[in-house]
Amino acid sequence: MSRKKKTSSKRRMAGPVPKGLPPNCLTKSLLKKHNFTNSQRRVVITGYGMITPLGKNTEETFENASNGRSGIDFISSFETKGLPCRIGGEVDDACLNNNSENSQAQRLEKFSSRALKLLRIATLEAVQQAKLNKVTNREKIGVSIGTHGDNPKVEDMMFLHKFYDGNGNWDMKRLTQAGGYSYLKFFRRKPDVAASILSKLFNCKGHNFSLVSACAAGSQAIGEAYKVIQEGKCDVMIAGGGEATLDFTGLMGFVLLKALTEKYKTPQTASRPFDRRRNGFVLSEGAGVVILEELEHARSRGIPISGELFGYGSSADAYRITDTHPKGEGAKIAMRRALEDASISSDNIDCINAHGTSTQQNDLTETRAIKEIFGEKAEGIPVYSNKSMLGHTIAAAGAIEFILTLIGINRSILLPTINYDHPDPKCDLDYVPNEARSKKHRKAISNSFGFGGQNSCLCLGEYEK
């Protein structure tokens, strides 16, 4: 009678790859030859949650995305008349009224910005799925959140300027007596508040991070949390990102940068990653949160495991503060590092959830970077962009896309890149155009490339016992 091979919670990890060897050379024989024996704790996913323009939770968002629906529409939360871009991905205000939160959450309501409210909803879904309330050692649970806080409201700025005389003097006495400006208006805009409030709300006393790295923030928050668990500093991490800067101040900033789409027939067809007629991204809002957990810790609790995070790569373009490197240098570094960190050959990657913003520059440079990393195999790898349906949720994007990738793996569904109507000869990969595809796939990477050249790549896949 044959005995079952004993599995280990520690994964054989490669150290630095010898110079001159591409990541697809990471074979078992090479690992043995170079004696790469550094063991790391395995990190799995035991919970996830989100709230997006496509749905009030994960299931609703994935269902709508798998049907190729768009969450983009005309902006209703503020006046946009006269602006060159009047569309966005808004979360329905009705979804923010979460009656399942406890009394402590209600007491913290006054401290919560819109982004934090979104994060609270996404985190609650993830925490409940992972049954995190049953973990007794709260010092080994940490929080890692990518967010930028809220923008100052135009009304608040107008109010404050009533107490300025135009000659360099502020009338603080009159401002104080007016009583119309609370310290909470300042507090809620701070990007570190989200991680602080979430740690209090869910009693997490371990490592606490706030990441502010533009479009890469949510992905980097997950990646850095993964490293904390690998290093044994925490057993569980709440990680993800949230964004709610779809307001006049936020929209105007991107309008002035000429980053938003200004040409569209309908809001739903405006975001068109990799399409020849793409002309800018669509600003959106939302939140996505995952529960990362050390494998043995999860096993000891008997909690269902949704997947495994194998590797994380991060980089900087060191190029321009508003442009990505035209050759995708930073993107290539991030993808290469994620594969090296995972000790996974590029030949074993079955699909790529692209950053895919629908801008001319990003989609072209990302395509070039993918081709260089994956070589001839790039033509056969499905590459899709969730932003075609969700718009760009900035700090939340990497976390939301990570979760959607994970669910797609578990259900053998490749989500579509909608609005792909005019092929671009310079972007010539398989972008899963317009309709979801049923296909078994086990391992994927998810890309997030931020303004200022901040890049992140996560390698994830099925959990293998």
Side-chain angles (χ1 to χ4, degrees), residues 12-315:
R12 192 172 177 85
M13 298 287 294
V17 177
K19 290 184 178 180
L21 291 176
N24 60 4
C25 288
L26 289 173
T27 61
K28 289 183 179 180
S29 59
L30 182 63
L31 291 171
K32 184 176 181 180
K33 177 181 177 182
H34 291 278
N35 194 29
F36 295 158
T37 57
N38 178 35
S39 294
Q40 298 279 15
R41 305 204 312 168
R42 291 174 65 182
V43 179
V44 295
I45 300 101
T46 55
Y48 47 73
M50 69 172 69
I51 179 169
T52 74
L54 273 180
K56 61 181 178 293
N57 53 35
T58 306
E59 187 59 38
E60 189 173 301
T61 297
F62 188 85
E63 178 68 19
N64 284 327
S66 63
N67 288 318
R69 297 188 181 126
S70 172
I72 310 303
D73 211 332
F74 288 106
I75 294 170
S76 61
S77 58
F78 63 95
E79 183 55 64
T80 61
K81 187 176 180 180
L83 298 180
C85 180
R86 304 180 64 188
I87 61 175
E90 293 180 308
V91 172
D92 188 347
D93 285 344
C95 296
L96 272 64
N97 300 320
N98 194 336
N99 296 323
S100 60
E101 288 190 309
N102 58 31
S103 58
Q104 180 180 225
Q106 298 305 319
R107 289 196 299 271
L108 294 173
E109 181 71 17
K110 65 180 180 180
F111 295 101
S112 297
S113 64
R114 182 176 177 85
L116 180 49
K117 290 177 182 179
L118 297 172
L119 277 164
R120 280 166 41 185
I121 292 169
T123 305
L124 183 62
E125 182 186 357
V127 164
Q128 289 178 339
Q129 183 181 0
K131 295 181 173 57
L132 215 55
N133 62 315
K134 295 185 178 180
V135 178
T136 55
N137 187 355
R138 310 307 291 189
E139 293 181 13
K140 297 290 280 185
I141 304 177
V143 176
S144 178
I145 296 295
T147 187
H148 300 110
D150 276 18
N151 293 319
K153 296 185 181 301
V154 173
E155 296 81 4
D156 289 341
M157 292 188 286
M158 291 173 66
F159 175 82
L160 288 173
H161 274 275
K162 291 180 181 178
F163 307 96
Y164 179 64
D165 66 4
N167 296 312
N169 298 308
W170 289 90
D171 190 340
M172 288 303 298
K173 182 178 180 181
R174 195 159 64 92
L175 171 59
T176 304
Q177 292 175 342
Y181 194 84
S182 166
Y183 77 92
L184 289 172
K185 292 181 182 292
F186 159 75
F187 181 84
R188 285 191 291 259
R189 291 203 303 271
K190 296 169 82 275
D192 60 300
V193 171
S196 175
I197 294 293
L198 290 177
S199 65
K200 177 175 176 57
L201 184 58
F202 296 100
N203 192 24
C204 304
K205 300 180 180 180
H207 278 58
N208 193 275
F209 298 137
S210 299
L211 286 94
V212 183
S213 52
C215 322
S219 178
Q220 287 187 327
I222 293 173
E224 295 301 324
Y226 159 76
K227 288 300 180 184
V228 168
I229 296 175
Q230 273 197 333
E231 294 165 5
K233 297 175 181 177
C234 279
D235 292 328
V236 184
M237 290 290 291
I238 295 174
E243 189 82 30
T245 52
L246 182 55
D247 49 30
F248 180 81
T249 312
L251 190 77
M252 278 303 299
F254 288 118
V255 165
L256 294 172
L257 280 170
K258 299 293 183 182
L260 300 180
T261 179
E262 298 180 5
K263 299 176 182 178
Y264 45 86
K265 291 182 179 179
T266 65
Q268 293 76 22
T269 60
S271 183
R272 44 183 58 250
F274 306 106
D275 184 87
R276 179 167 47 84
R277 295 186 181 179
R278 66 191 184 276
N279 63 90
F281 75 83
V282 177
L283 188 60
S284 187
E285 63 180 358
V289 171
V290 296
I291 307 301
L292 301 181
E293 191 163 351
E294 191 272 325
L295 175 57
E296 286 303 327
H297 189 272
R299 280 176 170 170
S300 69
R301 299 199 300 126
I303 196 75
I305 294 172
S306 301
E308 184 168 357
L309 179 50
F310 298 113
Y312 163 54
S314 183
S315 71

Side-chain angles (χ1 to χ4, degrees), residues 373-395:
I373 293 297
F374 290 89
E376 294 181 357
K377 195 198 173 190
E379 295 181 2
I381 301 177
V383 179
Y384 56 89
S385 172
N386 302 150
K387 293 181 182 71
S388 61
M389 298 171 284
L390 289 166
H392 196 341
T393 54
I394 313 296

Side-chain angles (χ1 to χ4, degrees), residues 381-419:
I381 301 177
V383 179
Y384 56 89
S385 172
N386 302 150
K387 293 181 182 71
S388 61
M389 298 171 284
L390 289 166
H392 196 341
T393 54
I394 313 296
I400 291 170
E401 290 160 11
F402 177 86
I403 298 168
L404 293 176
T405 306
L406 177 65
I407 299 173
I409 289 172
N410 289 333
R411 300 184 186 182
S412 298
I413 295 175
L414 295 169
L415 293 178
T417 302
I418 68 169
N419 302 321

